Amino acid sequence: MLWLDLEGAVNVRDVGGIPTDDGEKITRGRLLRSDNLQNLSPADVTYLVDHVRLSTVVDLRSPAEVAAEGPAPLTRLGHITHVNHSLLPEHGFDATAEALLVRRKREEERFPGDPSCAHYLGYVEERPDSIVAALRAVNRSPGAALVHCAAGKDRTGVVVAFALTVAGARREDVIRDYAATGERLHLILDRLRSSPTYASSVDSVPEDHHRPRAETMEAFLEQVDKRHGGVLGVLGSNGFTDDELDALRRRLRT
């Protein structure tokens, strides 16, 4: 993977270079992952557009987050396609305290012992439509596609793990890519603390609880295998066709 050091985002990387199970590699310049893009500088925008050849932004934040944060620099460019596919349940981000307690209890029952894994399984069970739509947007992008949420860790981690799995990346490398966000965790949390949208939630738990652990992604993918027939099973049962699978695999590998 290739880190992109931007002025206004701290968890940006190109997943190109990740090995596949047949000895090839994911192609560079096809799929990027990132934290929130609200603070990109003019130099960042120029780099992404002119050097990376970015053409599509896939935003996994909830509508409430998007509204609270307002327009980002890239949204002002008409030639960049922006799509928003939330992985949270409807009214998930701005849910009432009572609704949050109900959701937390459901997640504890879904996968006791690892709240993050339980949360990710919730994306699959409650918003598979958004996962499918996000991958379709990557498929249709004429240039590089960038997938992001707030931290570029959880929601982005799940969608990118699905994309890499379709492309034939080795599972250990899918897990390694997910955990790599931990290298930038302190910077990510500092960015989120600077935003009124996210500041209170960041410090509601100890900092280390935000750390992406390899064991979490490993457990998540194992549970997807057991409960849903794997990544391809989830996608196929939600309308992602064999032709689309082939197209995404080719896009990320050639």
Side-chain angles (χ1 to χ4, degrees):
M1 75 192 80
L2 174 68
W3 288 99
L4 277 63
D5 291 318
L6 303 182
E7 296 172 0
V10 297
N11 187 23
V12 190
R13 57 188 185 270
D14 184 336
V15 301
I18 290 177
T20 58
D21 52 18
D22 59 357
E24 299 296 327
K25 292 183 178 181
I26 303 298
T27 303
R28 294 199 188 280
R30 300 297 171 83
L31 179 61
L32 282 68
R33 54 180 298 165
S34 177
D35 52 333
N36 201 341
L37 302 176
Q38 296 298 127
N39 304 122
L40 294 182
S41 69
D44 294 337
V45 171
T46 297
Y47 179 80
L48 290 171
V49 172
D50 293 345
H51 180 75
V52 177
R53 305 296 182 188
L54 181 67
S55 61
T56 301
V57 173
V58 182
D59 185 348
L60 303 176
R61 296 175 299 165
S62 70
E65 290 171 88
V66 174
E69 290 287 276
L74 285 171
T75 63
R76 302 183 178 96
L77 302 181
H79 63 285
I80 303 290
T81 297
H82 287 80
V83 296
N84 179 221
H85 299 298
S86 174
L87 262 63
L88 299 180
E90 293 300 323
H91 311 297
F93 186 77
D94 55 350
T96 64
E98 182 179 358
L100 288 172
L101 285 173
V102 171
R103 195 167 78 200
R104 190 172 296 118
K105 181 179 179 182
R106 186 180 304 140
E107 288 182 346
E108 288 172 355
E109 294 170 348
R110 183 180 287 128
F111 193 78
D114 191 331
S116 293
C117 180
H119 205 49
Y120 301 168
L121 290 169
Y123 303 157
V124 173
E125 294 172 13
E126 297 172 348
R127 297 310 303 265
D129 56 320
S130 288
I131 296 174
V132 165
L135 295 182
R136 282 181 174 147
V138 172
N139 237 350
R140 294 168 181 161
S141 182
L146 184 151
V147 177
H148 82 93
C149 51
K153 174 173 70 76
D154 302 313
R155 291 168 284 188
T156 298
V158 167
V159 168
V160 170
F162 269 57
L164 291 174
T165 299
V166 171
R170 300 181 306 188
R171 178 159 293 191
E172 60 265 32
D173 291 303
V174 175
I175 294 169
R176 187 175 294 114
D177 172 67
Y178 164 80
T181 289
E183 299 174 27
R184 304 285 178 101
L185 184 63
H186 183 68
L187 296 173
I188 294 166
L189 296 182
D190 280 349
R191 277 202 71 212
L192 295 176
R193 288 188 183 102
S194 71
S195 166
T197 306
Y198 302 111
S200 60
S201 61
V202 168
D203 292 323
S204 64
V205 298
E207 181 169 316
D208 200 56
H209 286 203
H210 293 287
R211 185 170 301 281
R213 300 182 305 118
E215 307 94 278
T216 293
M217 181 54 67
E218 182 177 14
F220 167 67
L221 292 173
E222 288 176 352
Q223 290 301 311
V224 169
D225 289 343
K226 292 177 181 178
R227 302 182 187 200
H228 304 287
V231 166
L232 301 190
V234 172
L235 297 177
S237 63
N238 288 281
F240 203 75
T241 67
D242 288 345
D243 286 346
E244 288 178 305
L245 288 171
D246 289 342
L248 182 57
R249 181 180 173 89
R250 290 195 306 271
R251 168 156 187 78
L252 296 180
R253 290 168 59 101
T254 60

